[in-house]
Amino acid sequence: MSTALPRFVVLAGALSAAVSVAAQTCEARSGPRPPAVVALYTSEGCSSCPPADRWLSTLKPQDNVLALSFHVNYWNHLGWRDPFATKETTARQYQLKEALGGKYVYTPQVVLNGRDHRGWHGQRASSLSGLPAAVAPALRLSRQGNVVTAQMAAAPGSEPAGELAGYWAVLQDGLVSKVTRGENAGEDLRHDHVVSLYQPVPAWKAAQGGSAQLTLPAGSTQRVAFVVTNPGLTQPLQALVLHCPA
């Protein structure tokens, strides 16, 4: 998926948030309880992935959970090319493997708040722990026209020289594929929370806060998430989703 490159500028500056629409501006603000950030690494070419995809679909934004479905491309060689996999989302899983000291990447992999989470089977959203509030900087997302702006407040207790980073994730729901080859041949697969665009932003001084912008395609009504992380982009600290009505 292609999109115009965002413009970044450093300025002073989750999922429980109110969305308001006024003067063509739609916005959301982080609440006192940062959400749980659940990332699924999956592929339509992997026969063990559909149960994990279905489980991820049970997680709803109102449950104070940010669910992210990162499709990876290393199963494509089996005969089915996952239409939602990108080199960027695949590279992210390899980056996470290095950060966690893993020996290999695998699917389906569920990562909860930056840590490998193998106990997801049958788990309800209410049992997923949110991110620690003590270190979560306040976050605001707003959209005017096709431009979404993230404004990050100073991080609590941050060192003057400390840095934070983050990434944009554009999300799509209700995607359906009729798979004709590979391990899932003959299956109709449905996906929610699919990351159709993953885009990191440059680091900023944690004690100062920061701002970033993303330009969406004209007329886009997709959900847009911003996740604040450590400088290595692997440990989330805060997250927020913006969903503007058409």
Side-chain angles (χ1 to χ4, degrees):
M1 173 179 178
S2 63
T3 185
L5 291 176
R7 296 166 295 160
F8 303 105
V9 55
V10 177
L11 300 173
L15 219 46
S16 55
V19 176
S20 65
V21 180
Q24 303 301 314
T25 299
C26 171
E27 72 170 37
R29 296 175 182 268
S30 58
R33 295 174 53 238
V37 176
V38 181
L40 169 65
Y41 293 88
T42 185
S43 170
E44 288 192 344
C46 159
S47 61
S48 58
C49 285
D53 295 328
R54 291 192 291 270
W55 174 76
L56 197 75
S57 291
T58 69
L59 305 181
K60 307 299 181 184
Q62 59 266 31
D63 296 324
N64 203 38
V65 174
L66 170 58
L68 303 164
S69 180
F70 291 99
H71 284 240
V72 297
N73 62 19
Y74 48 80
W75 286 95
N76 288 358
H77 71 281
L78 293 182
W80 177 254
R81 186 176 183 85
D82 189 322
F84 311 117
T86 69
K87 63 180 182 180
E88 291 82 10
T89 51
T90 305
R92 174 166 176 79
Q93 189 184 24
Y94 278 93
Q95 184 180 24
L96 185 68
K97 174 187 74 72
E98 295 298 322
L100 297 179
K103 295 182 179 179
Y104 51 82
V105 294
Y106 69 95
T107 56
Q109 181 186 18
V110 175
V111 179
L112 172 62
N113 297 335
R115 298 295 177 186
D116 203 37
H117 184 67
R118 296 176 183 260
W120 57 268
H121 299 269
Q123 194 171 25
R124 295 185 177 182
S126 58
S127 64
L128 299 172
S129 299
L131 295 167
V135 294
L139 178 61
R140 174 180 177 265
L141 297 181
S142 61
R143 177 174 176 175
Q144 287 189 304
N146 298 324
V147 179
V148 183
T149 301
Q151 293 179 311
M152 296 73 75
S158 56
E159 298 293 331
E163 291 187 330
L164 293 178
Y167 62 86
W168 293 103
V170 178
L171 306 176
Q172 290 184 286
D173 301 303
L175 300 177
V176 179
S177 288
K178 292 184 177 293
V179 181
T180 60
R181 296 182 299 278
E183 290 190 352
N184 289 315
E187 298 291 334
D188 292 341
L189 301 182
R190 187 182 188 281
H191 312 289
D192 295 304
H193 315 299
V194 173
V195 178
S196 60
L197 173 69
Y198 165 69
Q199 192 158 291
V201 307
W204 64 87
K205 295 295 184 183
Q208 299 176 6
S211 177
Q213 289 188 331
L214 176 70
T215 301
L216 298 172
S220 173
T221 59
Q222 297 168 332
R223 290 186 294 137
V224 180
F226 189 86
V227 183
V228 179
T229 71
N230 65 337
L233 296 169
T234 57
Q235 180 60 52
L237 302 176
Q238 178 65 282
L240 186 61
V241 170
L242 184 65
H243 189 197
C244 300

Coordinates of all heavy atoms in Angstrom, one line a residue, residues 1 15 38 56 61 65-70 167-175 191-198 214 216 220-227 240-243:
M1 N 0.9 -1.2 0.0 CA 0.0 0.0 0.0 C 0.9 1.2 0.0 O 1.8 1.3 0.8 CB -0.9 0.0 1.2 CG -1.7 1.2 1.4 SD -2.8 1.1 2.9 CE -3.5 2.8 2.9
L15 N -6.5 3.5 24.7 CA -7.7 3.1 23.9 C -9.0 3.6 24.5 O -10.0 3.6 23.8 CB -7.7 1.6 23.7 CG -8.0 1.1 22.3 CD1 -7.3 1.8 21.2 CD2 -7.8 -0.4 22.3
V38 N -2.0 -5.9 21.8 CA -2.0 -7.3 21.4 C -1.6 -7.3 19.9 O -2.4 -6.9 19.0 CB -3.3 -8.0 21.6 CG1 -3.1 -9.5 21.2 CG2 -3.7 -7.9 23.1
L56 N -8.3 -13.1 17.6 CA -8.0 -11.7 17.6 C -9.3 -10.9 17.2 O -9.5 -9.8 17.8 CB -6.9 -11.4 16.5 CG -6.2 -10.0 16.7 CD1 -5.3 -10.0 17.9 CD2 -5.5 -9.6 15.5
P61 N -12.2 -2.7 20.5 CA -11.6 -1.5 21.1 C -12.3 -1.1 22.4 O -11.6 -0.5 23.3 CB -11.9 -0.4 20.0 CG -11.9 -1.2 18.7 CD -12.6 -2.5 19.1
V65 N -8.5 -2.6 24.5 CA -7.4 -3.4 23.9 C -7.2 -2.8 22.5 O -8.1 -2.5 21.8 CB -7.9 -4.9 23.7 CG1 -6.8 -5.7 22.9 CG2 -8.1 -5.5 25.1
L66 N -5.9 -2.7 22.2 CA -5.5 -2.4 20.8 C -5.0 -3.7 20.2 O -4.0 -4.2 20.6 CB -4.4 -1.3 20.7 CG -3.8 -1.1 19.3 CD1 -4.9 -0.7 18.3 CD2 -2.7 -0.1 19.4
A67 N -5.8 -4.2 19.2 CA -5.4 -5.4 18.5 C -4.8 -5.1 17.2 O -5.4 -4.3 16.4 CB -6.6 -6.3 18.4
L68 N -3.7 -5.7 16.9 CA -2.9 -5.4 15.6 C -2.6 -6.8 14.9 O -2.0 -7.6 15.6 CB -1.6 -4.7 15.9 CG -1.7 -3.4 16.7 CD1 -0.4 -2.9 17.2 CD2 -2.3 -2.3 15.7
S69 N -3.0 -6.9 13.7 CA -2.7 -8.1 12.9 C -1.7 -7.8 11.9 O -2.0 -7.2 10.9 CB -4.0 -8.6 12.3 OG -3.8 -9.8 11.5
F70 N -0.5 -8.3 12.1 CA 0.7 -8.1 11.2 C 0.8 -9.3 10.4 O 1.2 -10.4 10.9 CB 2.0 -7.8 12.0 CG 2.0 -6.5 12.7 CD1 1.8 -6.5 14.1 CD2 2.4 -5.4 12.1 CE1 1.8 -5.3 14.8 CE2 2.5 -4.2 12.8 CZ 2.2 -4.1 14.1
Y167 N 5.1 4.4 16.2 CA 4.7 4.0 14.9 C 3.2 4.2 14.6 O 2.4 4.2 15.5 CB 5.1 2.6 14.5 CG 4.4 1.5 15.4 CD1 3.2 1.0 15.1 CD2 5.1 1.0 16.5 CE1 2.6 0.0 15.8 CE2 4.5 0.0 17.3 CZ 3.3 -0.5 16.9 OH 2.7 -1.5 17.7
W168 N 2.9 4.5 13.3 CA 1.5 4.5 12.9 C 1.1 3.1 12.4 O 1.9 2.4 11.9 CB 1.4 5.5 11.7 CG 1.6 6.9 11.9 CD1 2.7 7.6 11.7 CD2 0.7 7.8 12.5 NE1 2.6 8.9 12.0 CE2 1.3 9.1 12.6 CE3 -0.6 7.7 13.0 CZ2 0.7 10.2 13.1 CZ3 -1.2 8.8 13.6 CH2 -0.6 10.1 13.6
A169 N -0.2 2.8 12.6 CA -0.7 1.5 12.1 C -2.1 1.9 11.6 O -3.0 2.3 12.3 CB -0.8 0.5 13.1
V170 N -2.3 1.7 10.3 CA -3.6 1.9 9.7 C -4.3 0.5 9.7 O -3.7 -0.4 9.2 CB -3.5 2.5 8.2 CG1 -4.9 2.6 7.6 CG2 -2.9 3.9 8.3
L171 N -5.5 0.5 10.2 CA -6.2 -0.8 10.4 C -7.4 -1.0 9.6 O -8.2 -0.1 9.3 CB -6.6 -0.9 11.9 CG -5.5 -0.7 12.9 CD1 -6.1 -0.7 14.4 CD2 -4.4 -1.7 12.8
Q172 N -7.6 -2.3 9.1 CA -8.8 -2.6 8.3 C -9.5 -3.8 9.0 O -8.8 -4.7 9.5 CB -8.3 -3.0 6.9 CG -7.9 -1.8 6.1 CD -7.6 -2.2 4.6 OE1 -6.6 -2.9 4.4 NE2 -8.5 -1.9 3.7
D173 N -10.8 -3.8 8.9 CA -11.6 -4.9 9.5 C -12.5 -5.5 8.4 O -12.7 -4.9 7.3 CB -12.5 -4.3 10.6 CG -11.7 -3.6 11.7 OD1 -10.9 -4.3 12.3 OD2 -12.0 -2.5 12.0
G174 N -12.9 -6.7 8.7 CA -13.9 -7.4 7.8 C -13.3 -7.8 6.5 O -14.0 -7.9 5.5
L175 N -12.0 -8.1 6.4 CA -11.4 -8.5 5.2 C -11.6 -10.0 5.0 O -11.5 -10.8 5.9 CB -9.9 -8.2 5.2 CG -9.5 -6.7 5.3 CD1 -8.0 -6.6 5.4 CD2 -10.1 -5.9 4.2
H191 N -10.6 -11.6 8.4 CA -9.6 -10.9 9.2 C -10.1 -9.6 9.7 O -10.8 -8.9 9.0 CB -8.3 -10.7 8.5 CG -7.8 -11.9 7.7 ND1 -7.2 -13.0 8.4 CD2 -7.7 -12.1 6.4 CE1 -6.8 -13.8 7.4 NE2 -7.1 -13.4 6.3
D192 N -9.8 -9.3 11.0 CA -10.0 -7.9 11.5 C -8.7 -7.4 12.1 O -7.7 -8.1 12.3 CB -11.0 -8.0 12.6 CG -12.4 -8.4 12.2 OD1 -12.9 -7.7 11.2 OD2 -12.9 -9.4 12.7
H193 N -8.6 -6.1 12.3 CA -7.5 -5.4 12.9 C -6.2 -5.5 12.0 O -5.1 -5.5 12.5 CB -7.2 -5.9 14.3 CG -8.4 -6.1 15.1 ND1 -9.2 -5.0 15.5 CD2 -8.9 -7.2 15.7 CE1 -10.1 -5.5 16.3 NE2 -10.0 -6.8 16.4
V194 N -6.4 -5.7 10.7 CA -5.2 -5.9 9.8 C -4.4 -4.6 9.6 O -5.0 -3.6 9.3 CB -5.7 -6.5 8.4 CG1 -4.5 -6.5 7.5 CG2 -6.3 -7.8 8.6
V195 N -3.1 -4.7 9.9 CA -2.3 -3.5 9.7 C -2.0 -3.4 8.2 O -1.1 -4.1 7.7 CB -1.0 -3.6 10.5 CG1 -0.1 -2.4 10.3 CG2 -1.3 -3.8 12.0
S196 N -2.7 -2.5 7.5 CA -2.4 -2.3 6.1 C -1.3 -1.3 5.8 O -0.8 -1.3 4.7 CB -3.7 -1.8 5.4 OG -4.2 -0.6 5.9
L197 N -1.0 -0.5 6.8 CA 0.2 0.4 6.7 C 0.9 0.4 8.1 O 0.2 0.7 9.1 CB -0.2 1.8 6.3 CG 0.9 2.8 6.4 CD1 1.9 2.5 5.3 CD2 0.3 4.2 6.2
Y198 N 2.1 0.1 8.1 CA 2.9 0.2 9.3 C 4.1 1.2 9.0 O 4.8 1.0 8.1 CB 3.5 -1.2 9.7 CG 4.7 -1.1 10.7 CD1 4.4 -0.8 12.0 CD2 6.0 -1.4 10.3 CE1 5.4 -0.7 12.9 CE2 7.0 -1.3 11.2 CZ 6.7 -1.0 12.5 OH 7.8 -0.9 13.4
L214 N 0.6 12.0 9.7 CA 0.4 11.0 8.7 C -0.7 11.5 7.7 O -1.7 11.9 8.1 CB 0.0 9.7 9.3 CG -0.3 8.5 8.3 CD1 1.0 8.0 7.7 CD2 -1.0 7.4 9.1
L216 N -3.3 10.4 4.9 CA -4.1 9.3 4.5 C -4.6 9.5 3.0 O -4.7 10.7 2.6 CB -5.3 9.0 5.4 CG -5.0 8.7 6.8 CD1 -6.3 8.7 7.6 CD2 -4.2 7.4 6.9
S220 N -10.4 8.3 3.1 CA -10.2 7.1 3.9 C -11.0 7.2 5.2 O -11.0 8.2 5.9 CB -8.7 7.0 4.2 OG -8.5 6.0 5.2
T221 N -11.7 6.1 5.6 CA -12.4 6.0 6.9 C -11.8 4.9 7.8 O -12.5 4.5 8.7 CB -13.9 5.8 6.6 OG1 -14.0 4.5 5.9 CG2 -14.5 6.9 5.8
Q222 N -10.6 4.5 7.5 CA -10.0 3.4 8.3 C -9.6 3.9 9.6 O -9.4 5.1 9.9 CB -8.8 2.8 7.5 CG -9.1 2.2 6.2 CD -7.9 1.9 5.4 OE1 -6.9 2.6 5.5 NE2 -7.9 0.9 4.5
R223 N -9.6 2.9 10.6 CA -9.1 3.3 11.9 C -7.6 3.5 11.8 O -6.9 2.8 11.1 CB -9.3 2.1 12.9 CG -10.8 2.0 13.2 CD -11.0 0.9 14.3 NE -10.6 -0.4 13.9 CZ -9.9 -1.3 14.6 NH1 -9.5 -0.9 15.8 NH2 -9.7 -2.5 14.1
V224 N -7.1 4.5 12.6 CA -5.7 4.8 12.6 C -5.2 4.7 14.0 O -5.7 5.4 14.9 CB -5.4 6.2 12.0 CG1 -3.9 6.5 12.0 CG2 -5.9 6.3 10.6
A225 N -4.1 4.0 14.3 CA -3.6 3.8 15.6 C -2.2 4.5 15.6 O -1.5 4.5 14.6 CB -3.5 2.4 16.0
F226 N -1.8 5.0 16.8 CA -0.5 5.4 17.1 C 0.0 4.8 18.3 O -0.7 4.8 19.4 CB -0.4 6.9 17.2 CG 1.1 7.4 17.2 CD1 1.7 7.7 16.0 CD2 1.7 7.6 18.4 CE1 3.1 8.1 16.0 CE2 3.1 8.1 18.4 CZ 3.7 8.3 17.2
V227 N 1.2 4.2 18.3 CA 1.7 3.5 19.4 C 3.1 4.1 19.8 O 4.0 4.3 19.0 CB 2.0 2.0 19.1 CG1 2.5 1.3 20.4 CG2 0.7 1.3 18.7
L240 N -3.2 4.6 21.1 CA -4.5 5.2 21.0 C -5.0 5.0 19.5 O -4.2 4.9 18.6 CB -4.4 6.7 21.2 CG -5.6 7.6 21.2 CD1 -6.6 7.2 22.3 CD2 -5.3 9.1 21.4
V241 N -6.3 4.9 19.3 CA -6.9 4.7 18.0 C -7.9 5.8 17.7 O -8.6 6.2 18.6 CB -7.6 3.3 17.9 CG1 -8.4 3.2 16.6 CG2 -6.6 2.2 18.0
L242 N -7.8 6.2 16.5 CA -8.8 7.3 16.0 C -9.6 6.7 14.9 O -9.1 6.1 13.9 CB -8.0 8.5 15.5 CG -8.8 9.7 15.0 CD1 -9.6 10.3 16.2 CD2 -8.0 10.7 14.3
H243 N -10.9 6.8 15.1 CA -11.9 6.3 14.0 C -12.8 7.4 13.7 O -13.7 7.7 14.5 CB -12.6 5.0 14.5 CG -13.4 4.4 13.4 ND1 -14.3 3.4 13.6 CD2 -13.3 4.5 12.1 CE1 -14.9 3.0 12.5 NE2 -14.3 3.7 11.5

